[in-house]
């Protein structure tokens, strides 16, 4: 688990579903995802469905802090949902906490899915390039107004901090979810 209130937390959940219960599990999955969205700090959910004959689902749940993620994990709502679905699971559930970039391109699975390097390059470039064009233009008035911030090393550092922050916490979690089908083909 991560420390600090200001850092997002991701929970990776693995469920092995009995083949005869996949339809019930899919309905359950939609219901619990809807409930999780109602909790404070919820930042999104990504579901990786089985790619072969196994019933192995991977769910990535993101909250804006580990405290809010813990609140969801300990909630009566989640406990009720887990008790409801437990009979359809082969081995119960596996939970792992993650932070930062490690889950962007290599989600865990039985046969580890890995985006091809050229796809990682294209996704990352298409997210960073617009930021490197727009952010200097947007922050230029601030750099002009405060001369100390206008020094090359300082303004480059500020731009790097803003770009990395936006990439880690705002853009890439949503962007990779949006293009995940293409990314992992």
């Amino acid at each position: 688990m991560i420390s600090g209130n200001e850092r997002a937390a991701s929970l990776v959940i693995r469920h092995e579903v009995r083949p005869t219960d996949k339809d019930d599990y899919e309905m359950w999955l939609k219901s619990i995802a809807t409930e999780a969205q109602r909790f404070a700090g919820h930042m999104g959910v990504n579901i990786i469905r089985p790619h072969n004959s196994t019933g192995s689902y991977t769910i990535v749940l993101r909250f804006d802090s580990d405290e809010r993620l813990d609140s969801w994990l300990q909630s009566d709502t989640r406990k009720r949902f887990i008790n409801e679905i437990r009979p359809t699971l082969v081995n119960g559930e596996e939970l792992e906490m993650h932070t930062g970039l490690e889950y962007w391109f290599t989600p865990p699975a039985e046969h580890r899915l890995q985006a091809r390097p050229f796809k990682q390059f294209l996704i990352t470039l298409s997210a960073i390039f617009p930021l490197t064009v727009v952010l200097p233009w947007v922050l230029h008035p601030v750099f002009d107004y405060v001369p100390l911030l206008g020094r090359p090393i300082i303004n480059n550092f500020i731009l790097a901090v803003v770009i990395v922050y936006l990439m880690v916490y705002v853009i890439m979690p949503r962007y990779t979810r949006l293009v995940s089908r293409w990314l992992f083909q």
Side-chain angles (χ1 to χ4, degrees):
M1 201 172 318
I2 59 176
S3 62
N5 290 340
E6 66 281 344
R7 294 188 53 196
S10 296
L11 177 68
V12 179
I13 306 165
R14 285 189 205 80
H15 289 157
E16 181 72 29
V17 180
R18 297 183 200 294
T20 56
D21 294 320
K22 282 188 179 179
D23 291 338
D24 291 338
Y25 182 82
E26 284 286 339
M27 288 179 8
W28 173 86
L29 200 52
K30 288 178 186 173
S31 298
I32 194 170
T34 301
E35 286 298 317
Q37 291 173 356
R38 294 186 179 124
F39 270 71
H42 184 272
M43 293 175 62
V45 63
N46 190 12
I47 301 165
I48 302 170
R49 289 175 169 79
H51 292 286
N52 51 29
S53 61
T54 71
S56 182
Y57 285 77
T58 302
I59 300 105
V60 181
L61 190 60
R62 290 189 41 85
F63 277 81
D64 64 0
S65 71
D66 57 330
E67 285 83 8
R68 287 187 169 165
L69 175 58
D70 283 339
S71 175
W72 163 249
L73 284 173
Q74 301 306 319
S75 73
D76 291 337
T77 302
R78 183 178 186 282
K79 289 176 184 175
R80 179 177 46 83
F81 271 98
I82 295 302
N83 287 335
E84 177 185 313
I85 204 63
R86 190 167 279 125
T88 69
L89 303 179
V90 175
N91 297 318
E93 67 179 351
E94 295 176 40
L95 305 174
E96 290 179 24
M97 299 288 192
H98 292 275
T99 61
L101 309 178
E102 74 261 14
Y103 201 76
W104 281 3
F105 297 117
T106 55
E110 281 183 16
H111 302 291
R112 192 168 191 112
L113 297 175
Q114 177 113 22
R116 296 163 107 186
F118 85 91
K119 289 182 178 184
Q120 292 180 37
F121 170 80
L122 291 175
I123 295 298
T124 306
L125 178 65
S126 68
I128 288 178
F129 178 71
L131 292 175
T132 63
V133 173
V134 172
L135 283 177
W137 178 74
V138 168
L139 294 176
H140 183 71
V142 175
F143 297 151
D144 284 347
Y145 186 73
V146 181
L148 178 65
L149 299 180
R151 294 185 178 193
I153 289 181
I154 294 173
N155 78 15
N156 286 336
F157 177 75
I158 291 169
L159 287 169
V161 167
V162 172
I163 288 171
V164 170
Y165 177 85
L166 289 172
M167 289 292 291
V168 170
Y169 295 107
V170 179
I171 295 169
M172 289 309 281
R174 291 165 179 84
Y175 192 24
T176 54
R177 191 176 324 120
L178 180 69
V179 297
S180 64
R181 185 171 291 165
W182 174 78
L183 188 60
F184 295 109
Q185 281 180 344

